[in-house]
Amino acid sequence: MKAVGPVTQMSWNPRRLSAVAAELPDGVTPAGTRGRILHAALRLFAERGFFGASIRDIAREVGINSATLYAHYPGKEDVLAELVRLGHEELLTRLRAASGAAAGDPVAQFAALVRAQVLLHADYPLLALVANHELHALSPERAAPALALREDARRLLLAALERGAAEGVLDVADVTLAGIAVGSLGLRVANWFGPDQPYTRDQVADAFVGFALRLVGARSPAADRHPRTEG
């Protein structure tokens, strides 16, 4: 009989939005007022949605008037488009790095991609929320750059799934649906993760990698290193 380890259950409470900082990835925030506008808009869009926050609200948050804001961005949609693009660029950058670092093993590559996606949503939850949930508010022209980045990210995950299935190390009946299911796991992290939660970013990433590997019929690297004993 296999010995099954104890089930871990930690206390969890719904995240307080005020506990999460409106942060952007290193090296992408413009200097001065333009950067302050992005941070203020990120907070307001995450709290109220694109249509619930006005130019006047954003300007007030920054401490400027609307005319000054218009000197930096032609309109509110331009502010959102930049935030959405930044979120998708950061995701694709991390996925490419993860994919390249584990290119020799399809299972490890898949795990690395899942981990990178989860960590992005844990590190920048407000940016992830806005980039994903408010994308619909953009016109087709302004949404196009982010959608192209999203498609590149999707193809990285599908390529890992296809390779694993072809080599017989992943059990995937439908690669497209598996990709959607796995991607959805990471997306939801942005809705609840924050510093007021009882889990670290790495604990969440490790757990979600395990969930994703089981979803596609693969064993997690940790399970291979520490096999269960027969009783």
Side-chain angles (χ1 to χ4, degrees), residues 131-196:
N132 289 306
H133 293 182
E134 303 303 321
L135 176 62
H136 69 94
L138 295 175
S139 65
E141 295 77 13
R142 286 190 171 91
L147 290 175
L149 295 167
R150 177 179 287 192
E151 178 61 16
D152 288 344
R154 187 183 75 91
R155 289 183 180 279
L156 281 175
L157 179 60
L158 292 184
L161 287 169
E162 289 169 351
R163 180 185 170 199
E167 295 184 15
V169 293
L170 298 179
D171 183 10
V172 183
D174 189 308
V175 168
T176 299
L177 290 180
I180 293 171
V182 170
S184 298
L185 289 175
L187 286 176
R188 294 296 298 174
V189 171
N191 290 80
W192 64 267
F193 185 79
D196 55 343

Side-chain angles (χ1 to χ4, degrees), residues 36-56:
R36 289 163 52 212
I37 291 170
L38 284 183
H39 279 96
L42 176 59
R43 166 67 67 184
L44 291 173
F45 291 160
E47 288 180 347
R48 307 178 189 177
F50 175 74
F51 295 108
S54 68
I55 281 288
R56 183 175 296 179

Side-chain angles (χ1 to χ4, degrees), residues 26-125:
D26 293 339
V28 304
T29 305
T33 302
R34 190 176 177 89
R36 289 163 52 212
I37 291 170
L38 284 183
H39 279 96
L42 176 59
R43 166 67 67 184
L44 291 173
F45 291 160
E47 288 180 347
R48 307 178 189 177
F50 175 74
F51 295 108
S54 68
I55 281 288
R56 183 175 296 179
D57 293 331
I58 298 170
R60 185 184 302 114
E61 186 84 2
V62 178
I64 59 178
N65 58 42
S66 299
T68 301
L69 192 152
Y70 282 123
H72 294 277
Y73 290 96
K76 188 175 67 166
E77 190 179 0
D78 298 276
V79 180
L80 176 61
E82 185 159 354
L83 289 170
V84 170
R85 177 184 59 81
L86 290 174
H88 284 83
E89 281 184 349
E90 180 68 13
L91 174 63
L92 183 57
T93 296
R94 291 190 180 205
L95 292 183
R96 282 174 171 165
S99 179
D105 178 351
V107 175
Q109 187 178 54
F110 172 78
L113 287 168
V114 173
R115 182 177 179 82
Q117 190 220 20
V118 171
L119 288 177
L120 181 280
H121 288 75
D123 291 340
Y124 302 105

